[in-house]
Amino acid sequence: MDRAYYLEFIKARMGERRYIHSVNVAKSAVKLAKIYNADPEKAELAGILHDCCKEFEPKEMLQIITDGGIMLDETEKSSNKLWHSIAGSVYIRLKLGIEDEDIINAVRYHTTGRARMSLLEKIIFTADFIGEERTYDGVDIMREKAERCLEEAMLFGLQFTISDLVRRKLPIHSGAIACYNDILTQLGEKEQL
Ligand code: DGI
Ligand code: FE
Ligand code: FE
């Protein structure tokens, strides 16, 4: 992987804070990949790129999504915070020629999650919560869980995100609910072993 090239690519497209966040997510993703036996190179690349479109104008994100042949559902149409991950998954394919479906999906589903996430998707979803620069209440618990059990960490993250959305009367994406339910099932199955 040409790390320097991808870092330059994102640096040209975002401010300093988001760049630092992206580098930190990539670092956390590599750490998690090593713990859970995923490919650290793919984890690093997906981490670097996961927010590559975050600072684009909404119009530009919508254009990229259209270029990628993706139709937004009603929740996605009404929540522009959900556009950067979908646009990002198209952008890395069209602009960087990334063809690895797992990396593309890790970027696409990093904000909401979805049912039956791959190991790499889970790693990026979780790494986004535990980058060095994150300071929210509970970040230490999240970091500790992330290193012990990815699904426990995801459940904790989803509880946090979904509760916050409910409190703010914002729509909850179907992928987030599907992810939450699926993680509960996976944890239940683990317990029975
Ligand atoms: O891009 P980051 O800031 O690193 O983090 P992110 O991609 O997880 O985006 C977080 C934002 O996405 C936050 O403002 C809440 C919003 N979000 C996450 N899940 C949902 C959501 N917004 C809606 N409306 N519905 C969701 O299910
Ligand atoms: Fe994001
Ligand atoms: Fe992020």
Side-chain angles (χ1 to χ4, degrees):
M1 179 183 93
D2 192 348
R3 180 188 295 105
Y5 176 79
Y6 293 118
L7 287 173
E8 278 308 311
F9 182 84
I10 62 158
K11 199 170 195 171
R13 288 166 175 77
M14 58 182 66
E16 177 81 9
R17 275 170 72 103
R18 182 137 311 265
Y19 176 74
I20 291 169
H21 164 70
S22 304
V23 171
N24 287 342
V25 170
K27 265 196 228 166
S28 301
V30 170
K31 191 169 177 188
L32 295 177
K34 287 181 178 159
I35 295 174
Y36 296 105
N37 292 318
D39 182 334
E41 277 214 4
K42 282 194 194 188
E44 183 172 29
L45 181 52
I48 290 172
L49 297 175
H50 82 287
D51 277 339
C52 66
C53 291
K54 181 95 178 184
E55 296 187 1
F56 287 13
E57 292 295 331
K59 257 178 87 172
E60 193 177 354
M61 289 192 264
L62 287 178
Q63 184 61 52
I64 295 166
I65 290 167
T66 306
D67 291 347
I70 295 174
M71 297 274 288
L72 296 181
D73 68 22
E74 287 309 312
T75 312
E76 289 162 350
K77 276 185 199 158
S78 68
S79 315
N80 61 5
K81 288 279 194 309
L82 303 178
W83 299 353
H84 75 284
S85 18
I86 304 170
S89 72
V90 173
Y91 199 71
I92 61 171
R93 185 162 56 79
L94 299 183
K95 293 281 174 179
L96 293 171
I98 288 172
E99 289 180 342
D100 187 301
E101 286 297 326
D102 208 12
I103 294 176
I104 290 170
N105 288 331
V107 173
R108 175 159 179 175
Y109 299 105
H110 84 262
T111 303
T112 59
R114 63 166 173 168
R116 314 302 314 171
M117 287 171 93
S118 73
L119 178 59
L120 184 69
E121 288 171 47
K122 288 178 176 177
I123 285 174
I124 298 303
F125 182 89
T126 305
D128 203 8
F129 281 91
I130 60 168
E132 267 165 47
E133 86 293 347
R134 294 274 195 204
T135 53
Y136 58 87
D137 269 352
V139 69
D140 291 331
I141 299 171
M142 183 67 181
R143 290 197 175 109
E144 192 257 316
K145 283 181 190 287
E147 292 187 19
R148 201 159 35 81
C149 174
L150 268 185
E151 291 76 21
E152 287 281 3
M154 290 179 67
L155 180 62
F156 190 71
L158 286 160
Q159 285 177 302
F160 179 88
T161 304
I162 293 172
S163 308
D164 186 54
L165 293 167
V166 170
R167 195 178 50 75
R168 293 158 63 201
K169 285 195 204 156
L170 290 172
I172 299 166
H173 189 264
S174 59
I177 297 169
C179 184
Y180 173 79
N181 290 338
D182 181 43
I183 291 296
L184 285 182
T185 306
Q186 290 185 34
L187 285 167
E189 281 164 5
K190 258 192 182 175
E191 240 169 51
Q192 281 167 16
L193 291 178

